[in-house]
Amino acid sequence: NFTTPPYSVSGAVATFLTAGALDITAATDLGGVNTLVYAAGGNAVTMTVAQFNAFTTFTGGAGTDGIILSTAIDDGAGGTYDASTKTFTSIEELTFATGSNQITLTKAQHAAFTTITAPGTETITISGDGAVTTRANIETYLLGDDTTNARAVTTSSTALNLVANNASDTVTVNAAALA
């Protein structure tokens, strides 16, 4: 626990008090918190998967804000963790821990992260409609159903395992970067 925590808690909201890198993995007083509000100037916040699971809303401030997971993420049983119902506002960076990370993001959530750092073996499942641009350091993308039955995928310049699980969807892949 902290001598002086780098955040204040009011009800279900924790607000970071200063910009910069913060590690809240040892925090024991965030049990009732479901919303994190980042400080102006940017925060890179390291948290446990259990903390990430408990928080439903992440609101960034001015500057670059990020989430750093301290351990690999999945659903706890080796399956995919569903983050598609979480709200990320002005959170630009997502950093996975080393290991096997499996997460579901909406197309909009995935696009909003300007940087996804992935040092392990990652699988991202995309839910929702629309075009997707893959990231160079993600090994596998699973494409959920696109209700328009048409999805454009732009690939990065690295090897990629791409799986579309709906037979009625048409997936158009722009693989020009691989040539």
Side-chain angles (χ1 to χ4, degrees):
N1 209 3
F2 303 101
T3 303
T4 303
Y7 50 81
S8 65
V9 175
S10 177
V13 178
T15 302
F16 295 113
L17 302 173
T18 59
L22 302 172
D23 185 335
I24 62 169
T25 57
T28 59
D29 58 346
L30 296 173
V33 172
N34 62 24
T35 300
L36 293 182
V37 178
Y38 286 56
N43 290 116
V45 181
T46 301
M47 65 188 69
T48 67
V49 169
Q51 289 168 327
F52 180 77
N53 184 46
F55 305 141
T56 58
T57 303
F58 300 79
T59 303
T64 301
D65 295 304
I67 297 166
I68 302 168
L69 297 174
S70 63
T71 58
I73 189 167
D74 63 23
D75 68 355
T80 300
Y81 177 86
D82 188 354
S84 66
T85 60
K86 293 187 180 297
T87 301
F88 302 103
T89 304
S90 297
I91 303 294
E92 295 84 9
E93 298 180 347
L94 176 61
T95 301
F96 294 112
T98 300
S100 178
N101 294 281
Q102 301 178 66
I103 192 167
T104 296
L105 299 171
T106 66
K107 180 261 180 209
Q109 289 170 327
H110 180 267
F113 290 118
T114 56
T115 302
I116 298 178
T117 302
T121 303
E122 284 69 38
T123 298
I124 294 180
T125 300
I126 301 292
S127 67
D129 297 346
V132 175
T133 299
T134 65
R135 307 299 173 95
N137 51 356
I138 306 298
E139 291 79 11
T140 301
Y141 276 89
L142 302 176
L143 302 178
D145 184 28
D146 183 313
T147 61
T148 67
N149 293 330
R151 184 187 306 270
V153 178
T154 302
T155 61
S156 63
S157 60
T158 59
L160 171 70
N161 180 19
L162 183 64
V163 179
N165 287 324
N166 192 314
S168 63
D169 285 352
T170 300
V171 178
T172 303
V173 178
N174 173 359
L178 299 177

